[in-house]
Amino acid sequence: MIVFDDIHKSFNNSPVLRGVSFRVAKASVHFVMGMSGAGKSVTIKSVIGLIRPDRGRILVDGREVTGLDEADLVEVRAQCQYIFQHATLFDHLTVLENVAMPVAKRMKVSTAIAQARARAVLESVHADDILERFPPELGKGSQKRVAIARALALEPRVMLYDEPTTGLDPVAARRIDALIRETSHRHGLTSMVVSHDLTSVRGTADHVSFLHEGRIRYDGSADGLFATSDEVLATFMHPRG
């Protein structure tokens, strides 16, 4: 479980988060949505200390992570894998090497053991047919799939996704949606997803928190979000051309 308790954050005296509180249930897929500039990425980056709140608490599985120094955050970041908007793979390494390298380094195992682990995880995300290819040879959807495999190979408890379908074509985006849901439920992972993709939230989310002007405007099911009569939310969910 991840708990946000009265989180405040400002940049250059301009408030972005104004007392954000919500809970991400264990082994759920929880979407954080909102208009541009609402503070979605600030919220998710705060979980692993990439951004430090000015006030409030964040707890991961009962442990408060706000205020931890960099040494203690190493352990938190090992358990909370962050999937950036861009895949951030090493172009000069094969897919197999990209996934195996952090396993060997983090788990202190041989290259052979790390590659065996990488092969198994790549198979689980349906990417075992591209093991020997290099990232520049792959489409963005396949690159994102490899990035997810690299994170899963480190056996996290929490997966943090920052706009995972941005820049993907509709088919690739839906495949990533399915993979997020599949891996979360299969491995019992707590998954927190920052997104503005309405198709993603409808088919993937167990729960949604909607940010507006630095506060939680809605916290509930995806079905409830689409059925809302709230004017602000309705404008976002049903934009007029």
Side-chain angles (χ1 to χ4, degrees), residues 92-150:
H92 66 288
L93 299 179
T94 65
V95 164
L96 181 63
E97 290 168 339
N98 263 284
V99 177
M101 183 179 66
V103 174
K105 183 177 181 180
R106 181 75 56 80
M107 298 182 175
K108 300 186 178 356
V109 297
S110 68
T111 299
I113 292 174
Q115 289 195 352
R117 169 70 179 161
R119 286 178 187 275
V121 174
L122 284 162
E123 182 177 1
S124 76
V125 302
H126 319 295
D128 48 319
D129 58 335
I130 57 172
L131 298 179
E132 301 306 323
R133 296 178 67 180
F134 292 87
E137 301 172 354
L138 304 174
K140 290 182 180 180
S142 293
Q143 290 180 9
K144 186 61 63 74
R145 190 174 294 272
V146 174
I148 293 172
R150 181 178 57 185

Side-chain angles (χ1 to χ4, degrees), residues 8-19:
H8 293 252
K9 182 64 183 179
S10 296
F11 295 95
N12 299 321
N13 295 318
S14 178
V16 176
L17 302 180
R18 308 167 183 254

Side-chain angles (χ1 to χ4, degrees), residues 24-83:
V24 179
K26 186 174 182 178
S28 71
V29 179
H30 190 118
F31 271 57
V32 178
M33 304 193 76
M35 300 176 187
S36 296
K40 302 184 299 295
S41 290
V42 172
T43 301
I44 197 171
K45 288 177 179 177
S46 298
V47 176
I48 54 173
L50 295 179
I51 291 176
R52 305 281 189 143
D54 300 327
R55 198 167 85 226
R57 302 185 308 153
I58 300 173
L59 293 87
V60 178
D61 289 342
R63 180 186 184 185
E64 184 173 351
V65 298
T66 38
L68 292 180
D69 60 25
E70 284 297 316
D72 288 330
L73 280 171
V74 169
E75 181 182 350
V76 174
R77 289 167 181 165
Q79 295 300 319
C80 302
Q81 287 295 305
Y82 193 104
I83 308 297

